[in-house]
Every structure is written in structure tokens, then in C-alpha cells.
């Protein structure tokens, strides 16, 4: 992606190297995505959607998940995030796909998307989640969806057919 202007102050950016940019006001920007995880928690053909309690996209929905912490692998991160945000216990997780996102607060994101229909507990919103709702697959990428998850419904359909 070609970056021309600072996302914080709109000043022109100078490219320092293939990932590092800086503007005249000294704002640094790195064009390398951070690893995030999210999960499709399935029950009876529906999936668990988390309403965002914070910006960006406050009030819109996403899959439960979050950032991978330093020294943590993706599987551990999704288990931790699901417990923090939903109170659920995941018994098994399967890698489903990945999704790259454009910039959020000067950071590119790359979601590692998991799938599970092997979990226990009662979904209870916590952490940065305002509510949890069971939704049909067609809800992903609706006007109420926070991020572009273009390839996720197809990956879910393939998984549900196995």
C-alpha cells in the first residue's frame, strides 16, 4: 500500500524504508500489520457476534478476539481473548482463514481467524464488548459489521459442510 499522508495530522509522509514513514511533525508510521485473532463460535448454524463497546466502530459488530500479546502464540491468544470477552471456555479451535485490514489508529491488522463449535459456558459480555448476539452467517459484512471480512463467510460455509 502506498502511504502519502500522515493518518494523525494529514502532513505529507516521507518514506524512511519499506515499512517506516515519518511526517514533518514527527509522527512515525510503520506499514507492517499487527497480529490479531478472532473466532467464529458456532451453535446451531449461528455464530456469536460481539458488539464493540469502544472506538473505532463503537456499536458495530465483530467476532470475539483481540491482539496477540508478546510471546504468545495465536491459539493461546484466542483462548485468552474469548475468556476475557465472552466468559466461554474453548475446548478446541481450528484455524479457518486470515484477513488483512486497512489501518486502524495508524496500525495495519492481520486477523488470524479460528473456528470452534466445541465450547462451554454461557456467553456473557465483558472487557470491551457491549453485547453478545447469535447471528446468521449473512450478518457478516452487513452495514452493522465493523470490518471487511469478505472471505470469512465462504470459509465458514466450507467448514460447516465438513
Amino acid at each position: 500500500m502506498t502511504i502519502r499522508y500522515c493518518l494523525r495530522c494529514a502532513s505529507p509522509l516521507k518514506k524512511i524504508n519499506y515499512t517506516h514513514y515519518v511526517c514533518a511533525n514527527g509522527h512515525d508510521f510503520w506499514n507492517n500489520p499487527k497480529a490479531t485473532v478472532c473466532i467464529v463460535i458456532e451453535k446451531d448454524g449461528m455464530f456469536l457476534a460481539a458488539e464493540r463497546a469502544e472506538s473505532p466502530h463503537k456499536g458495530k459488530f465483530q467476532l470475539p478476539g483481540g491482539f496477540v500479546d508478546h510471546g504468545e502464540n495465536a491459539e493461546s491468544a484466542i483462548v485468552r481473548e474469548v475468556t476475557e470477552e465472552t466468559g466461554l471456555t474453548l475446548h478446541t479451535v481450528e484455524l479457518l482463514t486470515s484477513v488483512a485490514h486497512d489501518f486502524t489508529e495508524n496500525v495495519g491488522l492481520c486477523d488470524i481467524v479460528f473456528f470452534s463449535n466445541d465450547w462451554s459456558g454461557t456467553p456473557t459480555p465483558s472487557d470491551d464488548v457491549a453485547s453478545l448476539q447469535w447471528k446468521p452467517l449473512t450478518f457478516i459484512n452487513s452495514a452493522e459489521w465493523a470490518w471487511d471480512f469478505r472471505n470469512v463467510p465462504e470459509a465458514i460455509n466450507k467448514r460447516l459442510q465438513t
Side-chain angles (χ1 to χ4, degrees):
M1 171 182 278
T2 302
I3 304 166
R4 295 191 176 118
Y5 299 97
C6 179
L7 298 174
R8 292 176 67 191
C9 69
S11 296
L13 285 171
K14 177 182 176 187
K15 187 173 184 177
I16 304 301
N17 61 39
Y18 71 101
T19 62
H20 186 199
Y21 296 76
V22 68
C23 76
N25 293 318
H27 299 130
D28 288 302
F29 178 79
W30 287 268
N31 188 12
N32 56 344
K34 290 191 179 264
T36 54
V37 290
C38 63
I39 191 162
V40 176
I41 298 173
E42 189 265 341
K43 176 183 170 186
D44 300 325
M46 305 285 271
F47 74 94
L48 193 61
E51 180 186 5
R52 294 184 56 79
E54 300 175 9
S55 292
H57 304 294
K58 182 179 179 178
K60 292 198 173 202
F61 289 85
Q62 65 181 25
L63 297 172
F67 288 98
V68 177
D69 289 342
H70 178 75
E72 187 176 45
N73 68 37
E75 291 86 359
S76 298
I78 196 56
V79 169
R80 174 185 53 77
E81 286 286 349
V82 165
T83 299
E84 290 173 3
E85 293 186 354
T86 72
L88 297 177
T89 300
L90 296 173
H91 301 292
T92 60
V93 296
E94 302 170 39
L95 181 62
L96 187 63
T97 189
S98 63
V99 180
H101 298 290
D102 285 338
F103 305 101
T104 301
E105 312 236 340
N106 283 6
V107 177
L109 304 176
C110 181
D111 260 329
I112 302 164
V113 185
F114 291 93
F115 175 89
S116 181
N117 57 6
D118 184 15
W119 51 272
S120 60
T122 302
T124 306
S126 188
D127 196 26
D128 57 356
V129 174
S131 73
L132 293 166
Q133 299 176 25
W134 293 103
K135 298 287 189 179
L137 185 57
T138 55
F139 185 72
I140 294 179
N141 293 321
S142 71
E144 296 179 71
W145 199 252
W147 317 108
D148 180 3
F149 268 47
R150 196 167 305 160
N151 65 327
V152 172
E154 180 182 335
I156 296 169
N157 277 328
K158 284 181 183 176
R159 169 54 184 85
L160 292 175
Q161 292 171 5
T162 60

